[in-house]
Amino acid sequence: MFQKSKKLINAAIFEKHQEIFRCPLCKESMQVIHLQSLVCSNQHCFDIAKQGYVNLLSRGISTKYDKKNFEYRRLFSKDGLFDPLYGAVSRIIMNHHSSNEPVRMLDAGCGEGSHLDNIQTEINRIKPMDLLAVGIDISKEGIRFAATGNPSSIWCVADIANCPFSSQKFKFILNILSPANYTEFQRLLSNHGLVIKVVPDQDYLKELREILYLRSDKQTYSNSLTINHFNKHFNLIDAGSVRYQVNLSEQLIEPLLGMTPLSWGTSEERIEKILQLNLKQVTMDFKVLIGLVKNKPHDLNR
């Protein structure tokens, strides 16, 4: 029996939801042509890759994350170490969407897609809804990984500072342990839409921080500047904490170090010290901010 390729399956999803896209170059609306490409009215063309994602960057952009970083994060996520966080974010979405209307959710800075995949799975397990999940990241390598996940999601290589979507198309924007662009988030959120931002809290991976940043000003962490910046752009309607300990097998210590930017730029001596300690537990500590756009206008262009 003939089996459709992943590209054709995902292209059909792009086509079904093509009204959400706008050209990142000229801001015109886009259409899927022949299940092959996203094309705008000015003929700017972006081909759908065989893996089922689309690259909407006009030029390549380098990032600090590489294939190994994404492999480590996926392994860490698959082992269930983010599950309490996924549960908390999923409950926020379910509690703020009570109607039977379709809902769109954007993960801005989705990396290799495991956060969005797991949150979508948790929602569908508890309270199935007509949910379109869209993930974007500036890393092509990350989106390639993401495209191997949930077949009903849309994955795009894109810049959060120039999101390739029409205005007011998303009920929820997730921004999990990732940089943000609040001007774009404000534009993309529908009326009464929410941005859900997850930032590290004071004790996040403190066991690593105490060694990697020993006797430096980074040995203790504060997210106060990040929260203040969020408050300038959104009405903070709620802020919750998610804090728990996770057990580490010896096989997860190296992936943990490879996954977190905490280890970037630190000395090999301190990395080796952590490996030799054979940590059995680490602290996961997050602050979850829920924001509503201030004075959202109703007449945004496209």
Side-chain angles (χ1 to χ4, degrees):
M1 181 182 292
F2 173 73
Q3 186 176 14
K4 285 186 178 180
S5 70
K6 183 164 180 58
K7 176 177 178 176
L8 288 177
I9 292 171
N10 286 64
I13 298 171
F14 276 90
E15 185 175 53
K16 180 180 178 181
H17 300 284
Q18 62 188 6
E19 76 279 359
I20 72 173
F21 290 95
R22 77 173 194 181
C23 179
L25 299 178
C26 66
K27 315 307 182 192
E28 293 297 324
S29 59
M30 306 186 82
Q31 289 184 310
V32 174
I33 304 298
H34 304 309
L35 295 180
Q36 295 291 323
S37 308
L38 268 171
V39 183
C40 76
S41 56
N42 286 325
Q43 300 305 305
H44 296 125
C45 180
F46 301 87
D47 293 335
I48 299 170
K50 64 180 180 180
Q51 296 90 345
Y53 69 88
V54 65
N55 187 344
L56 288 154
L57 289 178
S58 57
R59 57 185 176 84
I61 299 177
S62 61
T63 74
K64 291 184 178 180
Y65 290 93
D66 59 19
K67 183 178 180 180
K68 189 59 92 173
N69 292 130
F70 293 124
E71 287 175 345
Y72 284 153
R73 193 168 98 172
R74 177 154 289 194
L75 177 64
F76 206 72
S77 178
K78 188 176 180 180
D79 214 62
L81 303 184
F82 284 109
D83 282 358
L85 176 63
Y86 297 150
V89 173
S90 300
R91 286 191 294 275
I92 292 168
I93 293 168
M94 290 184 285
N95 290 341
H96 286 87
H97 185 71
S98 57
S99 72
N100 293 322
E101 292 295 316
V103 60
R104 300 188 188 103
M105 172 174 66
L106 173 68
D107 186 357
C110 67
E112 40 63 65
S114 56
H115 294 333
L116 184 60
D117 262 354
N118 282 281
I119 290 167
Q120 184 180 16
T121 298
E122 181 70 2
I123 291 170
N124 287 330
R125 184 182 69 84
I126 298 174
K127 184 182 178 180
M129 61 178 71
D130 186 356
L131 174 66
L132 173 66
V134 180
I136 66 170
D137 198 275
I138 206 167
S139 168
K140 186 176 179 180
E141 195 68 60
I143 292 297
R144 277 179 174 163
F145 269 99
T148 65
N150 196 310
S152 63
S153 300
I154 286 176
W155 303 102
C156 306
V157 185
D159 186 353
I160 62 170
N162 180 30
C163 291
F165 305 112
S166 298
S167 299
Q168 297 183 283
K169 293 298 184 183
F170 295 94
K171 175 70 179 289
F172 301 102
I173 294 180
L174 309 181
N175 188 231
I176 301 174
L177 305 176
S178 176
N181 187 287
Y182 293 147
T183 300
E184 279 290 80
F185 292 1
Q186 290 169 337
R187 179 182 69 81
L188 294 173
L189 281 171
S190 61
N191 291 326
H192 311 297
L194 298 176
V195 59
I196 303 168
K197 182 171 179 64
V198 178
V199 298
D201 218 342
Q202 181 176 337
D203 289 337
Y204 179 64
L205 299 180
K206 66 177 182 177
E207 296 82 0
L208 301 187
R209 184 178 291 277
E210 287 169 355
I211 296 172
L212 295 176
Y213 294 129
L214 182 65
R215 291 189 292 274
S216 79
D217 58 358
K218 293 182 180 180
Q219 190 171 356
T220 57
Y221 172 76
S222 172
N223 56 25
S224 58
L225 291 177
T226 301
I227 294 174
N228 289 340
H229 187 56
F230 185 90
N231 285 334
K232 289 179 182 178
H233 293 84
F234 298 96
N235 289 320
L236 183 65
I237 64 172
D238 201 3
S241 295
V242 181
R243 188 182 188 280
Y244 54 97
Q245 300 286 125
V246 295
N247 296 322
L248 285 182
S249 64
E250 185 177 350
Q251 291 76 17
L252 281 176
I253 297 174
E254 184 178 348
L256 175 61
L257 285 167
M259 179 195 75
T260 175
L262 287 178
S263 64
W264 294 353
T266 195
S267 69
E268 288 296 327
E269 180 184 358
R270 293 191 178 185
I271 295 275
E272 189 59 33
K273 184 175 181 180
I274 289 176
L275 292 173
Q276 290 176 355
L277 280 176
N278 193 19
L279 288 172
K280 300 299 184 184
Q281 280 191 330
V282 290
T283 304
M284 307 292 275
D285 190 17
F286 308 99
K287 183 70 73 176
V288 183
L289 311 175
I290 308 173
L292 190 66
V293 178
K294 295 180 177 181
N295 304 316
K296 185 165 184 66
H298 292 263
D299 59 350
L300 290 170
N301 294 327
R302 285 193 296 275

